[in-house]
Amino acid sequence: MANLSTTYLGLELKNPFIVGSSGLTATYEGIARLAKNGAAAVVLKSIFEEEIQMEFREALKNQLGPQDNNLDFLDYLDYQIKADVLSKTTELIRRVKADFDLKVIASIHCRSVGEWFAYAAKLQEAGADALELNIYRLPSSLEVSAAEIAEGNERIIEKVMKHVRIPVSVKMSAYTTDVAYTAQRYAQLGVKGLVLFNRFYQPDIDLENNRVVGGQVYSNPNDYTWPLRWVSILAPKVALDLAASNGVHTADTAVKMLVAGAAAIQVVSSVYKNGPDYLLDLQHGLDRWMDKKGLQDMVALRAYGRAMMPENPELFERVQFMKYFGEV
Ligand SMILES: Cc1cc2nc3c(=O)[nH]c(=O)nc-3n(C[C@H](O)[C@H](O)[C@H](O)COP(=O)(O)O)c2cc1C
């Protein structure tokens, strides 16, 4: 039996498998099932800026009546709703930390500088071991350039970093223009890790019923190649712990990510599809592979990976098909 323990963001993990932010990690009961099956860490369901705003609007509709011109009352209501959303999460962190042997990474989905830093500090106080920032806004504005978006993201990170001591990671969009440069900038700002990559809600059109619908929610087993490419390219270049995410559905895919230099693996879709005990299959699959290769621990695995990966990662940097292979 190999020793699967590893470190991610400076945290000791009993194995490299983290359950990513999702409905799986939204409740105490859900996390209990993951803990029972050996999850080393969970990233809690994100606290969403829009969610708070929506709740605020809903509450306004239901409660205002004669108060609708009273700015102090509006202010109070805003504060109250934020406090409620936050207190649900801080309570969850406290209970999970008290009852289970796993690390808890809180997650904030932030779109603007706003007041997120205050939430971050509260999550830290509640006992979160780390904080994952899910920073993304669809660049659909005709007025906002890539440079302005990048600048805004950096301001968010700077602000959060000033207010927390726990390690901070950023969950990156696969559509980032300058992945390597951005990773380096984040490292310079004090970020400890990068999650490669986020997966977004994908709307679709239902032609039968003439309406826009939610598209496919889960990733596919072959979605892993883009994160694998970037883990391979970034691991030797940046001082960040990389968590591979998106399309890790089998133990073999997890092994590829670790060989390429990932510090940890985040899984969501495969656990939704196969149930929480699939985490045990992933751990056993990794263990079996390490045994087969005679690797006793993750340090040995990493050294094995470094020896296997080409020094000049030209295959991972090649993007165009110069020629088709074979007769296709
Ligand atoms: C139902 C569902 C809910 C999700 N909710 C969040 C969320 O709140 N915050 C977040 O950062 N990612 C969220 N994600 C994205 C996942 O954390 C993960 O990045 C994505 O599913 C890719 O990993 P996978 O291939 O293992 O599924 C969600 C994914 C799913 C399927």
Side-chain angles (χ1 to χ4, degrees):
M1 172 96 193
N3 177 356
L4 302 187
S5 66
T6 187
T7 55
Y8 173 61
L9 311 178
L11 309 173
E12 301 285 331
L13 303 188
K14 57 188 167 202
N15 64 62
F17 294 103
I18 299 173
V19 179
S21 180
S22 60
L24 296 166
T25 62
T27 62
Y28 178 87
E29 293 71 25
I31 295 172
R33 288 190 284 273
L34 304 171
K36 195 172 137 218
N37 289 287
V42 287
V43 185
L44 298 183
K45 176 80 186 154
S46 302
I47 299 182
F48 278 73
E49 196 176 333
E50 300 103 298
E51 189 183 20
I52 293 167
Q53 283 162 351
M54 247 155 46
E55 278 194 43
F56 183 48
R57 278 196 293 271
E58 207 39 46
L60 279 185
K61 261 201 315 208
N62 296 337
Q63 293 184 27
L64 267 185
Q67 298 275 18
D68 56 359
N69 286 324
N70 180 340
L71 287 183
D72 284 344
F73 179 75
L74 289 184
D75 226 29
Y76 171 74
L77 197 56
D78 183 32
Y79 168 80
Q80 197 55 43
I81 287 164
K82 284 174 181 145
D84 281 355
V85 171
L86 249 194
S87 68
K88 273 187 215 145
T89 309
T90 51
E91 181 57 21
L92 180 64
I93 294 172
R94 280 195 195 95
R95 289 182 66 201
V96 168
K97 288 291 296 175
D99 295 353
F100 306 123
D101 172 27
L102 46 66
K103 303 292 182 207
V104 176
I105 304 174
S107 164
I108 301 181
H109 172 254
C110 23
R111 293 149 49 103
S112 55
V113 174
E115 53 198 285
W116 291 104
F117 66 92
Y119 299 142
K122 294 273 178 221
L123 298 169
Q124 170 181 279
E125 264 169 46
D129 295 293
L131 180 65
E132 186 176 289
L133 298 179
N134 166 1
I135 312 175
Y136 190 67
R137 182 169 208 155
L138 199 76
S140 57
S141 165
L142 300 179
E143 272 95 45
V144 183
S145 70
E148 287 169 280
I149 293 172
E151 165 77 16
N153 292 349
E154 288 190 11
R155 292 296 79 78
I156 291 172
I157 292 169
E158 277 172 347
K159 208 156 179 189
V160 170
M161 299 301 298
K162 277 198 193 125
H163 288 83
V164 295
R165 298 175 310 278
I166 52 176
V168 173
S169 61
V170 175
K171 192 172 194 183
M172 196 184 248
S173 158
Y175 306 111
T176 305
T177 305
D178 42 8
V179 174
Y181 177 84
T182 303
Q184 173 74 348
R185 285 288 305 148
Y186 289 176
Q188 286 162 353
L189 293 175
V191 166
K192 294 282 180 258
L194 211 54
V195 183
L196 301 171
F197 291 100
N198 206 350
R199 176 183 166 79
F200 302 115
Y201 169 78
Q202 309 280 358
D204 199 355
I205 296 177
D206 174 352
L207 293 175
E208 272 312 304
N209 300 298
N210 301 337
R211 57 192 180 119
V212 176
V213 291
Q216 186 179 315
V217 175
Y218 303 124
S219 64
N220 292 309
N222 50 3
D223 288 343
Y224 74 88
T225 53
W226 195 247
L228 179 65
R229 172 191 294 256
W230 280 107
V231 168
S232 308
I233 292 172
L234 291 183
K237 286 190 184 175
V238 292
L240 289 166
D241 282 352
L242 305 177
S245 162
N246 220 316
V248 180
H249 286 240
T250 65
D252 279 359
T253 307
V255 167
K256 290 178 192 182
M257 296 295 188
L258 295 168
V259 163
I265 310 290
Q266 288 197 10
V267 282
V268 172
S269 297
S270 60
V271 180
Y272 266 113
K273 285 186 178 168
N274 301 297
D277 56 359
Y278 194 60
L279 287 167
L280 292 174
D281 290 13
L282 293 171
Q283 292 155 54
H284 292 151
L286 170 61
D287 180 44
R288 268 196 306 276
W289 181 83
M290 288 173 72
D291 269 355
K292 196 164 91 186
K293 299 289 179 184
L295 303 170
Q296 272 151 23
D297 56 27
M298 299 305 277
V299 175
L301 187 153
R302 248 169 248 131
Y304 181 90
R306 274 195 301 276
M308 188 205 285
M309 299 301 282
E311 263 192 21
N312 182 0
E314 56 187 25
L315 276 180
F316 280 108
E317 296 207 2
R318 174 173 294 168
V319 282
Q320 307 293 347
F321 296 98
M322 280 196 291
K323 299 177 195 157
Y324 281 107
F325 302 105
E327 297 298 311
V328 193

